[in-house]
Each structure stands twice: as C-alpha cells, then as structure tokens.
Amino acid sequence: MMSGGIGSWATARQVIDQRGTAATVLLFADTLAEDPDLYRFLDDAAAQLGVPITRVADGRRPWQVFRDVRRIGNSQIAPCSYRLKQKVCRDWMEANTTPDTATVYVGIDWSEPHRIPAIEAKWKPWPTRTPLCAPPYLDKDALIREARAAGLTPPRLYRLGFPHNNCGGACVRAGQAQWARLFEVDPERFAAEEAEENALRAELGKDVAILRDRRGGTTTPLPLAVLRERITSGQADQEALDFDWGGCGCFTAADPEHQETAA
C-alpha cells in the first residue's frame, strides 16, 4: 500500500529486499487531492526501488464524495477513506490476487501498534504485515534520513511540519493543529477547503463541520471559517493548536459502509 508517505517507502524497500522487485506491487490509491510533491516523490521512489507505481482511483475528490453521501467527513466518519482508498485497493486486490498468493503490507510504524488489529480485520482474508512495527523501531525522522541517504528528496509536507503526507495537508481526519499549520503554510489550500465546507454546510442545511470544538466541556462543530477567525484574532484554543493533530487512518477505520449511514 504505497500511500506516498515515508513509511510506505521504507516498508516497500524492506519488502523488495526480502522478496525482490518481481514479487512486489506498489499500489497507490489516488484521491486526486494530494500535494503535487507527493506525485513527484512517488515517481522518484518508484525509480529508486525499481518497481513502477500501480495507480488506482475512484475518480472523485473527497468533497465530491461528501456531497454524494450527504455528509462532511471528520475524524470519526470519513467516507473518503472508504471510497477513495479502501474500496479501490480492495477491488484491485480481488481482481488481481488471491489471499493465498499475496500479502498486504502497510507502512505504519512502532508508534501505531494499536492500529494492527483493525488493519488485519480490514484486509481479511489477505494476510497483512507491518514491518515498521518491529525492531529497530525507527521513527519518521530516521526514515527521512534514510530516504535522503538513498538519494531521495522526502515529501515537502514533512519539511513544512505535517506528520503525514496525505491529501495535501487537508485530511479530514486531522485535528485543529494540522489545519492551523495548513492555514499558516498554504493559505490558498486552506481557503479552498473552507469554501468547500461552507458550501456543503449550506447545501445540507446543518451545523456540521470537519473539526470539533471541545472548550468548556462540551463538543460542538468547529467550521474552518471559525477556526481561521480565531487564529487571526488570537482567540484560538492554544492547547488544541499545540496537540490536536489527529491522524491518518485510511486503511484502519471501522466498517465505513456502516459509518456512511450512521446518524
């Protein structure tokens, strides 16, 4: 599962070292909403690893999916994860492999072992492996150094302070800290996401949003427009801006078919 992150590159390198290039497929699910530098990194990584990228795509972007399912994705319910990542990869697996001839490798690392049961359940009956969860327990900084040593320029989102290289820094599973970072380093992308959220909120006629405001002991929707206003006025929740990063879980979420129809 070649997401374009540093973990998937490091995992692919281990698999190729053990199995060889002929036995390895680098399967990339394109959301059509990625940072341009992710595609550059994929091309460079494929050349360095000696295996071409196998690209699959639903054909929609995340906000198109949200309109189709009539809900805005967030950290708990992300229809984009299922439609744009999980389903297209599962379809490819079913069409091109069998569980007794293929193993799914996912690039989570030792800091995310809690995701392993969900990964195993999600990809059954295919066996799954997460090599970076085993010794020598390298973190992202170490993997980035290894990529540089191998002649690769790491994805720019890491350099800009993002923990993941997915959806151009605008992942709906991310928290306030990541969205604040996006506002700081790429205000045009933030503005585009804000406009999409505003339009769908109006279309649905509901007070719904990607983010949640948990100040005061209650939880309420926090639209991107409100987050932006709080940041620029100095009234944002500083604790959330420091610690609420959220996380990518596109291959480890609970059954999204049920999520999409949840109340």
Side-chain angles (χ1 to χ4, degrees), residues 223-239:
L224 294 176
V226 175
L227 177 66
R228 171 179 51 77
E229 292 166 359
R230 289 181 179 178
I231 292 172
T232 55
S233 66
Q235 297 178 347
D237 181 348
Q238 191 58 50
E239 182 176 359

Side-chain angles (χ1 to χ4, degrees), residues 2 4-13 37 40-42 44-49 132 138-156 158 165:
M2 191 70 170
I6 199 68
S8 63
W9 166 78
T11 299
R13 187 171 64 159
D37 194 58
R40 187 276 310 164
F41 177 71
L42 280 178
D44 291 352
Q48 184 262 335
L49 293 168
L132 298 184
L138 300 178
D139 61 17
K140 280 189 172 65
D141 288 340
L143 297 178
I144 287 172
R145 289 194 295 271
E146 288 195 353
R148 289 197 178 102
L152 293 174
T153 300
R156 77 177 189 115
Y158 295 124
N165 185 36

Side-chain angles (χ1 to χ4, degrees), residues 66 73-78 80-81 115 162-164 166-182 197 209-212 214 222 224 227 240 243-250:
F66 300 157
N74 56 53
S75 62
Q76 300 300 312
I77 302 172
C80 48
S81 290
R115 292 181 172 181
F162 292 90
H164 301 283
N166 57 285
C167 288
C171 174
V172 297
R173 291 188 181 276
Q176 293 183 46
Q178 181 166 313
W179 283 94
R181 180 60 54 83
L182 182 66
E197 184 183 63
I210 295 170
L211 297 173
R212 297 291 178 269
R214 296 179 174 85
L222 176 61
L224 294 176
L227 177 66
F243 300 109
D244 181 18
W245 287 94
C248 174
C250 283

Side-chain angles (χ1 to χ4, degrees), residues 198-215:
N198 286 342
L200 190 48
R201 278 167 53 85
E203 184 177 326
L204 296 175
K206 297 179 180 179
D207 183 18
V208 290
I210 295 170
L211 297 173
R212 297 291 178 269
D213 185 356
R214 296 179 174 85
R215 293 191 296 188

Side-chain angles (χ1 to χ4, degrees), residues 14 17 27 32 35 43 60 73 77 104 129 146-147 157 181-183 185 198 217 221 230 235 241 244 246:
Q14 286 194 33
D17 286 345
L27 188 62
L32 308 181
D35 186 78
D43 288 342
R60 293 174 290 178
I77 302 172
V104 175
R129 300 288 185 273
E146 288 195 353
L157 287 190
R181 180 60 54 83
L182 182 66
F183 178 64
V185 302
N198 286 342
R230 289 181 179 178
Q235 297 178 347
L241 297 191
D244 181 18

